[in-house]
Amino acid sequence: HTEDELSRSSHSNPGKSLVNGIKTNPASNSPKSSLGVPMGPPVYVDLAYIPNHCSGKNTDPEFFKRVRASYYVVSGNDAANGEPSRAVLDALLEGKSQWGENLQVTLIPTHDTEVTREWYQQTHEKQQELNIMVLASSSTVVMQDESFPACKIEF
């Protein structure tokens, strides 16, 4: 097919679209990793914020296979909405286990939650095996009558 033919076929069939020349159905229940994102080499970054407050809506093992960070920030603090998500924390372990290299990773939770505490305790051996450190901080910043926990990160 030429680009014009592919473009016309996607406009004439509104329930389906083309992603990288492949027909997809946005209403299907296909896994996140098959949403048409082209495969490529992993991206290495110093610091990555886990999307959507560590909700399972947008982050799966594929995210951690492809986005390889020295530090991941977990900011979820809403148990009613599944933030942080245990599945996302488990996805970090699964994704990191497929890196093929034992780079140090530091996970930085911005809130002390039951989910992160339980995950930490239940997967501690796997974290050590994968060279993942969970950073806990007893530091507190006080600003304008408000205090909150803080971490210092050096690159």
Side-chain angles (χ1 to χ4, degrees):
H1 294 305
T2 68
E3 281 189 71
D4 288 341
E5 288 172 329
L6 292 174
S7 177
R8 279 193 303 271
S9 70
S10 66
H11 291 296
S12 65
N13 192 354
K16 296 194 180 207
S17 61
L18 290 173
V19 177
N20 296 326
I22 300 169
K23 285 188 181 183
T24 62
N25 184 352
S28 74
N29 292 328
S30 61
K32 293 179 194 121
S33 59
S34 64
L35 289 178
V37 176
M39 292 304 296
V43 176
Y44 292 86
V45 296
D46 289 329
L47 178 72
Y49 176 86
I50 298 177
N52 205 23
H53 303 288
C54 197
S55 166
K57 295 174 188 172
N58 302 89
T59 309
D60 62 4
E62 190 65 28
F63 172 82
F64 295 105
K65 289 179 202 172
R66 306 222 16 228
V67 178
R68 299 181 182 186
S70 298
Y71 298 88
Y72 290 101
V73 176
V74 177
S75 71
N77 190 23
D78 186 357
N81 285 320
E83 299 168 4
S85 167
R86 169 68 189 250
V88 172
L89 297 172
D90 288 339
L92 167 62
L93 298 175
E94 183 180 336
K96 173 95 169 51
S97 70
Q98 296 181 34
W99 286 12
E101 50 195 336
N102 198 19
L103 300 174
Q104 170 73 47
V105 167
T106 303
L107 187 68
I108 306 168
T110 61
H111 296 88
D112 181 20
T113 66
E114 186 175 330
V115 170
T116 53
R117 279 192 309 268
E118 286 180 2
W119 176 82
Y120 176 80
Q121 291 171 351
Q122 294 169 359
T123 64
H124 189 67
E125 286 182 25
K126 185 72 171 174
Q127 294 166 44
Q128 289 180 321
E129 175 186 316
L130 293 172
N131 203 15
I132 297 173
M133 180 177 75
V134 178
L135 186 62
S137 176
S138 59
S139 299
T140 303
V141 174
V142 178
M143 294 178 65
Q144 300 175 347
D145 300 326
E146 183 180 359
S147 66
F148 47 90
C151 295
K152 179 180 179 184
I153 304 171
E154 293 185 28
F155 294 98

